[in-house]
Amino acid sequence: SAVISQKPSRDICQRGTSLTIQCQVDSQVTMMFWYRQQPGQSLTLIATANQGSEATYESGFVIDKFPISRPNLTFSTLTVSNMSPEDSSIYLCSASTSGSNLYGYTFGSGTRLTVV
Amino acid sequence: GQQLNQSPQSMFIQEGEDVSMNCTSSSIFNTWLWYKQDPGEGPVLLIALYKAGELTSNGRLTAQFGITRKDSFLNISASIPSDVGIYFCAGQSNQGGKLIFGQGTELSVKP
């Protein structure tokens, strides 16, 4: 299955600033997704990163707050804009992969963001 | 929107015991996935189920896709300390579509 590298792995940021998270996949993938995992919670989908077109956002998430790029089939970025302490979470990139008998989704290790 | 109810929320068991957790939904899913997440890591896919009634094993793990397509369970046999972590179910309505995650089951194994 594909290997996903995400960076930074963690960061502490001042409120009002923005952070861009990078996601690199070691092979071309069809679908890439961005999730948020708040402390002690499950994963919530932010958006689907579409190659060559605007991302598709889930209810409660907007492009101005979480702009996403996907310039090719192996790379995507998520920016968390104008951060507040409520944005402190783990942000996870995932991609659809196929391999052996498991057609599912692979996740990166996540970016642990703390906003102070 | 679609929701998955995962239970139990947490489990404390003795090494060697078997474990069972399940997910139910009010909606139909065409794929069920089970993940494990260790602290500081992203979820790792354990088992994927694609057909109603399917029973699939991966080592000591066994999972089933419910006949109604609205539920799934995961069994872990003869638990060991490295089984500790948070287990998530996830449902997918169509291939390549987004995943909906359950709330997670936190497993603790006492040696």
Side-chain angles (χ1 to χ4, degrees):
Chain A
S1 59
V3 175
I4 298 179
S5 301
Q6 215 176 308
K7 60 180 182 181
S9 59
R10 59 177 63 231
D11 208 341
I12 301 173
C13 300
Q14 295 289 324
R15 69 175 67 202
T17 63
S18 297
L19 176 72
T20 295
I21 303 167
Q22 298 182 1
C23 178
Q24 179 74 55
V25 189
D26 68 347
S27 59
Q28 292 186 343
V29 292
T30 309
M31 309 290 287
M32 293 182 77
F33 302 88
W34 286 98
Y35 286 83
R36 181 174 72 184
Q37 187 176 26
Q38 294 177 304
Q41 302 295 314
S42 186
L43 285 76
T44 301
L45 181 64
I46 296 172
T48 302
N50 301 308
Q51 194 267 327
S53 65
E54 200 169 275
T56 304
Y57 289 84
E58 296 299 305
S59 176
F61 298 96
V62 295
I63 188 171
D64 290 346
K65 177 67 176 177
F66 298 103
I68 287 171
S69 79
R70 190 174 173 197
N72 55 51
L73 293 176
T74 65
F75 185 78
S76 178
T77 67
L78 169 75
T79 299
V80 186
S81 303
N82 188 24
M83 289 183 284
S84 66
E86 291 72 35
D87 294 320
S88 298
S89 286
I90 301 172
Y91 292 86
L92 293 149
C93 169
S94 78
S96 64
T97 62
S98 60
S100 67
N101 61 340
L102 292 180
Y103 182 82
Y105 290 84
T106 300
F107 281 82
S109 295
T111 296
R112 186 178 295 270
L113 171 62
T114 302
V115 183
V116 297
Chain B
Q2 294 174 309
Q3 283 187 314
L4 291 182
N5 296 311
Q6 185 173 348
S7 64
Q9 189 173 5
S10 61
M11 302 181 76
F12 298 85
I13 62 170
Q14 198 77 30
E15 182 177 1
E17 290 183 349
D18 297 343
V19 170
S20 184
M21 58 193 79
N22 70 84
C23 273
T24 60
S25 170
S26 57
S27 306
I28 289 174
F29 288 103
N30 290 322
T31 301
W32 284 91
L33 305 172
W34 284 92
Y35 287 88
K36 181 186 181 222
Q37 186 176 29
D38 292 326
E41 299 293 327
V44 174
L45 183 64
L46 300 173
I47 290 181
L49 302 156
Y50 305 113
K51 291 195 305 185
E54 180 181 357
L55 184 71
T56 297
S57 294
N58 179 8
R60 293 180 295 107
L61 278 60
T62 301
Q64 184 156 31
F65 191 146
I67 285 291
T68 65
R69 294 196 284 158
K70 293 183 178 180
D71 63 299
S72 177
F73 72 74
L74 174 71
N75 286 343
I76 305 173
S77 62
S79 59
I80 59 179
S82 62
D83 290 334
V84 166
I86 302 177
Y87 292 79
F88 290 100
C89 63
Q92 184 183 50
S93 296
N94 53 283
Q95 195 175 69
K98 65 183 182 183
L99 298 181
I100 306 297
F101 279 83
Q103 301 95 328
T105 296
E106 185 170 7
L107 179 62
S108 301
V109 180
K110 186 176 179 181

